[in-house]
Amino acid sequence: PGIKVITDVALDPYSSVGQDGIVKDGKVENDLTVDALVKQAVCHVEAGADIVAPSDMMDGRVGAIRAAIGDQAEIMSYAAKYASAFYGPFRDALDSAPMPGTDKKTYQMNPGNIK
């Protein structure tokens, strides 16, 4: 009764290219990815999640998830995610490092950006 279930809403654990989004022609497709994340979040809520936590950093994902789940669950959103080596050990554990020649700089922040 005093426990809440929080789930990670993300595609990278299931990606063979190591990106947080759906890749077409070498580019991450934001809108297609948001659609997939919404479906995943809805599944999590239907399975009993109290809080869904999208960790992908796609534009518009929180609003789209809120529109789909209403007030059935809370959303815990990441404030910022940086395209840096900091996530290296995590990506290694998931075997989800970006393929050679690709990175996450189109949808994650530059760690050198102090503003």
Side-chain angles (χ1 to χ4, degrees):
I3 267 185
K4 289 206 176 215
V5 175
I6 303 172
T7 63
D8 181 32
V9 177
L11 301 181
D12 56 327
Y14 313 103
S15 170
S16 61
V17 295
Q19 293 292 340
D20 293 353
I22 296 170
V23 178
K24 278 191 161 184
D25 299 323
K27 294 174 72 175
V28 175
E29 294 289 333
N30 188 85
D31 295 347
L32 288 174
T33 300
V34 169
D35 291 343
L37 293 167
V38 166
K39 290 176 186 172
Q40 188 181 60
V42 168
C43 287
H44 289 194
V45 171
E46 289 175 349
D50 298 297
I51 302 170
V52 293
S55 63
D56 56 276
M57 304 312 291
M58 296 297 127
D59 290 337
R61 76 205 188 286
V62 173
I65 290 170
R66 175 55 66 214
I69 67 171
D71 62 358
Q72 297 177 65
E74 298 173 45
I75 300 173
M76 181 177 73
S77 179
Y78 292 71
K81 208 168 186 183
Y82 294 95
S84 72
F86 180 74
Y87 292 103
F90 170 76
R91 291 178 183 139
D92 289 345
L94 288 180
D95 193 24
S96 70
M99 291 180 64
T102 67
D103 58 42
K104 299 186 178 199
K105 293 178 181 175
T106 60
Y107 56 90
Q108 290 184 354
M109 293 179 65
N110 178 339
N113 183 356
I114 61 171
K115 294 184 179 184

